[in-house]
C-alpha cells in the first residue's frame, strides 16, 4: 500500500518532536495515556446517553505493557476506537486544538520550553519511538485498521484484525545513542513512576503487569526461598485533583494540570478551589490565566468549563456554567447531583446547574476581591489582561451585573498617580468635594495635560483618567458610588465655584455676549457655543461639550462601521477671561471685527490641538497664525 504524506504543518511539528531535547521526551507517555482516557470518556458518555451499549464504566481501563526483548511499549484502551476515516483525519494531520496555538507560539519564540509545558499529543510518541503502530477498532464496527508510521516518510493505513473495540498503540523504542538513552523507558519501574508523576489523576485504571516475588516455604531448608510472579496492578490513584483535599495537592500539581489541560505556557494568575456541600453539592477547580488568550476579544474565543458528574465527563465545554463577564475563567466542575444523561438543551434549564453557576460567579468575585485586597500588584496584572472584560460586564444586559462588578473596577487617579478602585477614590475625597471627577482621552499623559484639569488640581481634588472607549458607558451605567455622582471635567458646572465667582463670570459673559456670539457664528457651525469660563488657569482656551454626547463618544461612534446617523457632540469653545488672548480679542473687537473673527478661528484650532483632535486644515491654520502675529 502506498504511503501517504503528513500535512506540511504536521511534518514540521514532527521534526521538532524528534529533535527535542532529552528531558522532554518522557511526556510521551502522558500524552498517549491522556488520549486513551479521552477515548474512554467518549465511550462512557455514549453508553450513558444511548443506554444500550451494554458497557459499564467499571469495564473501562488502560493497560501499559512492555516487551523488552523487542523494545516495544504498548498502550491499550478499550475505548471508542477509530474508524478508517477517523484514523486518517486524526493522525494524518495535526493542526488542531492546542497544537495550532503551540505552533504559532513556537514561531514567535524559538527557544521557549514549549514541549515540556504543552499537551502536544499523539506525535510526541516519535520522541522515543522509531516506529509507531496503531491498531484500532471503532465501537460498533466490524473492521479494525492498522496505522503505521516511522515519522519521517508519512504513514500507511491497512485493514487488520482485532478483538473488541478500542485502540492499541505500539511504540518501537529507539536504540540508545551516544548522548541519548531510550532503554530506560523499557523498565517497568520507570514507566510506573512516569504514570504516577503525570497521569495519577486519570479517572480510569492504568494497569501494568508488575513482577513480584513471594516467599516459598520449603520445610527441609532453613534459608527462605523466593519465587517471582506477575501480578496486574492499577498504578494510578484515579482520584482527580479536584476530588483531593487541599493539603494533598501542591501548587505545582495545580499549575501543571492547568497548563496541560488548557494549553497555556504560563502558570495561572489565580487558582480557585470550590468545595460546596448542601442543597446542591459540587467541586470546582477554576483558573484565571495570566495573559489574555489569543483572540480573546473575538468571536472565536469559546468560554466554558468542563463538566463532570461524579468523575464522569459529561460535557467538555459547558458554556452555561460561566457568566459572560467572567468568561476568561477556565476549569472543571464536578457535581454528583447532575443527572448523567442530561442533554445540552436540558442543562440550560437545569436548576442545579443554575445554582452552581450562581455560586461559581459569587466565588470568582470573592477571590478576585481577595486578590485585589491582598496582592494589589498581582491584581493590576490581572486587570491589564481582563479589566476591559469587567468593564463590558458592567455595561452589558442593561447594567444587570453592575453591583457585582463595580468594586473590581480600577481607574488611574491623578492624585495617587496609580490605579485605584472607585470606592478608594471616594474614601480619599476631601469633605467639601461633591463629585467624582473623571476625564477621558487617549492616554493618561495626554489627559493630564488638558487645561480643564487645572482648577480641580488646584483644589487638590483627584481626577479619574479614563482611556477605554467603553469607560463613559461604564460611568453612565454606574451613576454613582457611595452616594457620590460622577462629573466630567468638561461639565459646565464643576460644582467648585463660589456663588460670587459664578455671578462674576455671568456678568462678564453678558458684557461680551455680542462678541462671543459673533465668534460662534464666524466659526460656521463648528461649535454650538462660545463662552467664558472659570475652568481655565494658565491656558487661553479649551474645547468642551454640552449635552449627552461627549467628544470621546463622538470619536467612538465615528469608528463603528456601517450605516448609522452621525453622532455629534455639541462643541463648546471655552475662553479664559483672565488670559491675554481674551484681552486681545476684546481690543481687536473694537478696531477690526474681521480680524477678531480670525483670532477666534485661531483659538478654536488651538482648542482642537489641546483636545487631541486633528485640525481640519493645518496649512491654513499655520498661515493664519503668521498673518496675525
Ligand atoms: P488531541 O488529543 O489534542 O486532539 P492528538 O494528536 O493527541 O491531539 O490526537 C489526535 C486525535 O486522535 C484525538 O483527538 C483523537 O480523536 C484521536 N485519538 C488519539 N488517540 C486515540 C485513542 N487511543 N483512541 C481513540 N482516538 C484516539
Amino acid at each position: 500500500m502506498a504511503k501517504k504524506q503528513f500535512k506540511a504543518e504536521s511534518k514540521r511539528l514532527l521534526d521538532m518532536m524528534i529533535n527535542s531535547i532529552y528531558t522532554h521526551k518522557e511526556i510521551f507517555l502522558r500524552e498517549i495515556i491522556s488520549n486513551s482516557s479521552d477515548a474512554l470518556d467518549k465511550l462512557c458518555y455514549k453508553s450513558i446517553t444511548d443506554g444500550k451499549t451494554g458497557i459499564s464504566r467499571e469495564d473501562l481501563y488502560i493497560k501499559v505493557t512492555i516487551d523488552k526483548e523487542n523494545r516495544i511499549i504498548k498502550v491499550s484502551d478499550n475505548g471508542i476506537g477509530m474508524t478508517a476515516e477517523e484514523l486518517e483525519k486524526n493522525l494524518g494531520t495535526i493542526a488542531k486544538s492546542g497544537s495550532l496555538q503551540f505552533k504559532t507560539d513556537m514561531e514567535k519564540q524559538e527557544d521557549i520550553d514549549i514541549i515540556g509545558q504543552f499537551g502536544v499529543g499523539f506525535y510526541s510518541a516519535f520522541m522515543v519511538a522509531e516506529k509507531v503502530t496503531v491498531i484500532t477498532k471503532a465501537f460498533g464496527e466490524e473492521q479494525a485498521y492498522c496505522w503505521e508510521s516511522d515519522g519521517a516518510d508519512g504513514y500507511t493505513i491497512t485493514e487488520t484484525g482485532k478483538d473488541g473495540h478500542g485502540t492499541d498503540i505500539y511504540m518501537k523504542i529507539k536504540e540508545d545513542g551516544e548522548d541519548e538513552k531510550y532503554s530506560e523507558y523499557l523498565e517497568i519501574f520507570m514507566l510506573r513512576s512516569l504514570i504516577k508523576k503525570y497521569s495519577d489523576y486519570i479517572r480510569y485504571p492504568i494497569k501494568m503487569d508488575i513482577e513480584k516475588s513471594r516467599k516459598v516455604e520449603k520445610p527441609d531448608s532453613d534459608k527462605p526461598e523466593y519465587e517471582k510472579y506477575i501480578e496486574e496492578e492499577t498504578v494510578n490513584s484515579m482520584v482527580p485533583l479536584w476530588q483531593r483535599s487541599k493539603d494533598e495537592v501542591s501548587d505545582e500539581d495545580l499549575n501543571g494540570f492547568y497548563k496541560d489541560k488548557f494549553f497555556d505556557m504560563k502558570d495561572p494568575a489565580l487558582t480557585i478551589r470550590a468545595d460546596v456541600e448542601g442543597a446542591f453539592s459540587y467541586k470546582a477547580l477554576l483558573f484565571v490565566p495570566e495573559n489574555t488568550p489569543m483572540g480573546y476579544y473575538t468571536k472565536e474565543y469559546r468560554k466554558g468549563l468542563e463538566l463532570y458528574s461524579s468523575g464522569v465527563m459529561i460535557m467538555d465545554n459547558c458554556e452555561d456554567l460561566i457568566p459572560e463577564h467572567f468568561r476568561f475563567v477556565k476549569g472543571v466542575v464536578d457535581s454528583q447531583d447532575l443527572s448523567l444523561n442530561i442533554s445540552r438543551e436540558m442543562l440550560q434549564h437545569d436548576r442545579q446547574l443554575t445554582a452552581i453557576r450562581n455560586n461559581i460567579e459569587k466565588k470568582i468575585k470573592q477571590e478576585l476581591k481577595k486578590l485585589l485586597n491582598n496582592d494589589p500588584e498581582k491584581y493590576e496584572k490581572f486587570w491589564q489582561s481582563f479589566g476591559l472584560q469587567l468593564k463590558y460586564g458592567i455595561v452589558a444586559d442593561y447594567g444587570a451585573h453592575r453591583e457585582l462588578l463595580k468594586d473590581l473596577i480600577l481607574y488611574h487617579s491623578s492624585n495617587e498617580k496609580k490605579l485605584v478602585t472607585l470606592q478608594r477614590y471616594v474614601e480619599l475625597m476631601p469633605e467639601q468635594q461633591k463629585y467624582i471627577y473623571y476625564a477621558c482621552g487617549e492616554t493618561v499623559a495626554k489627559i493630564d495635560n488638558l487645561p480643564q484639569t487645572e482648577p480641580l488640581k488646584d483644589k487638590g481634588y483627584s481626577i479619574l483618567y479614563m482611556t477605554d472607549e467603553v469607560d463613559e458607558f461604564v460611568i453612565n451605567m454606574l451613576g454613582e458610588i457611595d452616594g457620590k455622582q460622577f462629573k466630567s471635567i468638561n461639565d459646565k458646572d464643576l460644582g467648585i465655584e463660589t456663588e460670587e465667582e459664578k455671578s462674576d463670570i455671568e456678568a462678564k459673559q453678558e458684557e461680551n455676549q455680542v462678541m462671543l456670539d459673533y465668534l460662534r457664528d464666524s466659526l460656521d457651525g463648528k461649535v454650538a457655543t462660545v463662552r467664558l469660563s472659570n475652568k481655565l488657569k494658565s491656558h487661553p482656551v479649551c474645547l468642551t461639550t454640552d449635552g449627552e454626547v461627549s467628544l470621546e463618544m463622538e470619536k467612538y461612534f465615528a469608528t463603528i462601521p456601517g450605516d448609522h446617523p452621525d453622532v455629534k457632540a455639541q462643541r463648546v469653545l471655552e475662553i479664559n477671561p483672565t488670559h491675554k488672548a481674551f484681552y486681545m480679542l476684546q481690543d481687536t473687537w473694537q478696531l477690526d471685527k474681521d480680524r477678531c473673527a480670525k483670532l477666534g478661528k485661531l483659538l478654536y484650532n488651538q482648542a482642537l490641538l489641546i483636545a487631541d483632535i486633528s485640525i481640519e486644515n493645518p496649512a491654513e491654520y499655520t498661515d493664519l497664525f503668521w498673518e496675525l502675529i
Side-chain angles (χ1 to χ4, degrees):
M1 189 190 168
K3 271 198 179 154
K4 297 197 181 179
Q5 289 304 307
F6 287 108
K7 298 251 163 68
E9 60 268 34
S10 312
K11 231 180 139 55
R12 227 175 336 143
L13 198 57
L14 266 169
D15 285 345
M16 240 167 53
M17 289 293 169
I18 291 163
N19 300 317
S20 81
I21 55 173
Y22 183 65
T23 50
H24 291 138
K25 295 183 188 289
E26 64 182 32
I27 58 119
F28 78 95
L29 191 63
R30 172 190 75 187
E31 298 298 314
I32 296 299
I33 286 178
S34 142
N35 280 346
S36 287
S37 168
D38 290 347
L40 295 172
D41 267 343
K42 284 177 197 160
L43 184 59
C44 187
Y45 182 67
K46 191 180 170 65
S47 70
I48 290 161
T49 45
D50 290 3
K52 47 182 187 290
T53 53
I55 285 176
S56 94
R57 192 177 148 72
E58 287 69 49
D59 304 334
L60 303 176
Y61 69 92
I62 298 163
K63 174 127 191 193
V64 179
T65 30
I66 299 172
D67 174 354
K68 220 167 168 172
E69 212 173 306
N70 296 308
R71 298 183 73 82
I72 284 174
I73 299 175
K74 176 182 171 196
V75 177
S76 306
D77 65 69
N78 55 351
I80 193 124
M82 283 178 272
T83 63
E85 292 77 48
E86 284 165 343
L87 256 185
E88 172 86 47
K89 186 171 86 160
N90 294 335
L91 302 188
T93 178
I94 202 170
K96 283 192 295 131
S97 57
S99 317
L100 184 65
Q101 164 131 26
F102 161 80
K103 187 169 73 72
T104 15
D105 283 348
M106 185 64 193
E107 273 157 7
K108 273 191 302 208
Q109 289 165 289
E110 281 296 346
D111 54 344
I112 209 156
D113 176 19
I114 291 180
I115 294 174
Q117 314 237 23
F118 253 111
V120 282
F122 172 78
Y123 286 77
S124 59
F126 288 104
M127 294 198 289
V128 297
E130 57 188 38
K131 189 168 89 179
V132 179
T133 308
V134 179
I135 297 202
T136 183
K137 187 152 106 185
F139 179 80
E141 299 279 319
E142 290 298 317
Q143 184 63 54
Y145 294 92
C146 172
W147 179 101
E148 197 160 68
S149 170
D150 61 0
D153 305 327
Y155 58 94
T156 57
I157 296 177
T158 48
E159 291 187 353
T160 189
K162 176 183 175 359
D163 289 337
H165 53 85
T167 305
D168 302 327
I169 312 240
Y170 295 84
M171 289 165 277
K172 166 101 178 154
I173 301 303
K174 294 181 193 175
E175 297 292 339
D176 291 342
E178 235 164 69
D179 320 314
E180 298 189 306
K181 303 276 176 266
Y182 299 97
S183 296
E184 57 182 6
Y185 296 119
L186 293 163
E187 301 296 337
I188 287 192
F189 76 89
M190 179 66 171
L191 289 197
R192 198 176 168 198
S193 75
L194 288 181
I195 292 171
K196 271 273 169 214
K197 180 169 172 191
Y198 292 114
S199 311
D200 193 52
Y201 58 82
I202 293 283
R203 291 159 293 105
Y204 300 94
I206 304 169
K207 298 179 183 178
M208 283 188 86
D209 292 331
I210 307 287
E211 198 181 72
K212 300 190 168 173
S213 67
R214 62 186 158 211
K215 215 167 163 177
V216 205
E217 299 294 339
K218 286 240 171 117
D220 50 342
S221 156
D222 326 338
K223 272 202 211 140
E225 277 190 34
Y226 293 90
E227 67 175 11
K228 289 186 172 160
Y229 69 103
I230 303 281
E231 195 173 74
E232 195 179 67
E233 197 177 87
T234 297
V235 179
N236 55 328
S237 75
M238 297 200 341
V239 184
L241 239 46
W242 60 88
Q243 294 285 7
R244 294 195 216 161
S245 70
K246 252 196 177 111
D247 37 295
E248 261 185 291
V249 182
S250 69
D251 288 348
E252 226 182 340
D253 289 340
L254 291 170
N255 292 346
F257 175 80
Y258 163 76
K259 287 188 285 200
D260 191 30
K261 202 165 186 66
F262 300 107
F263 303 112
D264 200 344
M265 296 197 291
K266 292 214 169 142
D267 288 344
L270 187 62
T271 301
I272 302 172
R273 295 187 61 142
D275 187 350
V276 176
E277 304 268 344
F280 57 91
S281 307
Y282 78 94
K283 288 193 165 71
L285 202 49
L286 308 172
F287 304 93
V288 177
E290 179 167 313
N291 293 335
T292 332
M294 245 193 275
Y296 178 74
Y297 288 106
T298 68
K299 275 204 249 40
E300 265 84 87
Y301 179 83
R302 279 184 76 204
K303 67 160 184 171
L305 302 178
E306 267 185 15
L307 183 60
Y308 292 78
S309 175
S310 306
V312 181
M313 193 211 272
I314 51 178
M315 210 176 278
D316 62 358
N317 199 66
C318 183
E319 296 187 18
D320 299 315
L321 274 172
I322 204 95
E324 199 59 21
H325 39 271
F326 291 147
R327 65 206 276 273
F328 46 81
V329 175
K330 297 271 171 208
V332 298
V333 172
D334 194 340
S335 172
Q336 67 210 35
D337 297 339
L338 287 171
S339 138
L340 278 175
N341 50 2
I342 196 163
S343 74
R344 239 164 232 276
E345 292 69 40
M346 280 156 72
L347 266 180
Q348 275 180 6
H349 308 290
D350 191 272
R351 280 190 33 232
Q352 297 287 0
L353 200 76
T354 312
I356 294 175
R357 174 201 152 99
N358 292 341
N359 203 268
I360 284 179
E361 183 183 47
K362 227 168 46 201
K363 183 85 189 166
I364 296 172
K365 155 80 191 266
Q366 270 170 12
E367 293 294 321
L368 286 175
K369 188 117 190 245
K370 225 194 263 169
L371 186 69
L372 171 63
N373 292 334
N374 300 342
D375 193 347
E377 235 169 80
K378 204 164 176 199
Y379 187 85
E380 257 180 53
K381 253 185 136 178
F382 155 77
W383 179 254
Q384 304 306 345
S385 297
F386 300 109
L388 196 56
Q389 179 69 63
L390 298 187
K391 290 179 183 175
Y392 285 137
I394 285 186
V395 178
D397 303 332
Y398 305 102
H401 322 289
R402 65 185 157 197
E403 283 308 312
L404 179 89
L405 299 175
K406 70 176 183 194
D407 39 354
L408 295 176
I409 299 288
L410 299 183
Y411 282 112
H412 180 94
S413 145
S414 63
N415 278 4
E416 302 294 299
K417 302 213 182 338
K418 62 172 189 189
L419 292 167
V420 298
T421 62
L422 297 169
Q423 286 75 10
R424 182 74 188 142
Y425 177 93
V426 173
E427 268 167 39
L428 292 172
M429 277 167 64
E431 207 175 325
Q432 70 278 16
Q433 184 182 336
K434 288 188 231 148
Y435 300 103
I436 302 171
Y437 295 104
Y438 71 91
C440 300
E442 204 179 300
T443 63
V444 164
K446 278 184 181 175
I447 302 172
D448 199 44
N449 286 332
L450 289 175
Q452 302 95 299
T453 59
E454 278 189 339
L456 292 165
K457 284 178 183 162
D458 276 2
K459 284 210 148 297
Y461 295 171
S462 188
I463 305 167
L464 296 174
Y465 291 170
M466 308 191 167
T467 52
D468 280 326
E469 279 159 354
V470 72
D471 285 331
E472 276 181 293
F473 300 96
V474 171
I475 296 306
N476 285 343
M477 199 47 94
L478 289 175
E480 50 137 59
I481 297 291
D482 300 338
K484 303 284 182 195
Q485 291 186 327
F486 290 94
K487 201 169 239 342
S488 160
I489 61 159
N490 284 334
D491 202 287
K492 199 150 98 188
D493 182 7
L494 291 177
I496 53 173
E497 295 161 332
T498 60
E499 286 308 313
E500 203 183 323
E501 284 169 333
K502 262 189 202 166
S503 51
D504 254 18
I505 198 88
E506 270 164 29
K508 248 190 217 148
Q509 173 83 22
E510 230 162 84
E511 267 168 45
N512 293 280
Q513 196 64 53
V514 185
M515 174 184 81
L516 296 172
D517 287 348
Y518 175 81
L519 290 178
R520 177 199 61 205
D521 295 342
S522 60
L523 279 171
D524 241 359
K526 288 193 177 69
V527 296
T529 314
V530 178
R531 71 169 159 251
L532 300 182
S533 109
N534 274 342
K535 263 193 209 123
L536 298 162
K537 296 273 166 184
S538 53
H539 302 282
V541 283
C542 72
L543 193 69
T544 63
T545 53
D546 277 347
E548 295 287 296
V549 184
S550 69
L551 291 170
E552 292 309 309
M553 283 186 189
E554 179 185 298
K555 280 188 215 164
Y556 168 65
F557 281 112
T559 62
I560 298 179
D563 260 356
H564 54 82
D566 268 0
V567 178
K568 284 277 174 221
Q570 276 187 52
R571 297 182 180 198
V572 178
L573 177 64
E574 299 202 14
I575 301 178
N576 180 353
T578 62
H579 197 277
K580 66 177 178 225
F582 177 66
Y583 302 138
M584 192 187 271
L585 274 176
Q586 278 184 316
D587 293 346
T588 319
W589 174 246
Q590 303 301 332
L591 303 170
D592 181 348
K593 298 210 166 28
D594 213 32
R595 190 177 163 85
C596 184
K598 285 181 179 168
L599 274 176
K601 205 166 185 181
L602 196 70
L603 285 169
Y604 170 69
N605 277 314
Q606 290 174 342
L608 286 179
L609 285 175
I610 292 171
D612 198 24
I613 297 174
S614 61
I615 51 184
E616 261 167 48
N617 191 336
E620 188 189 77
Y621 163 73
T622 311
D623 294 344
L624 191 62
F625 176 79
W626 286 107
E627 182 190 329
L628 291 173
I629 66 164

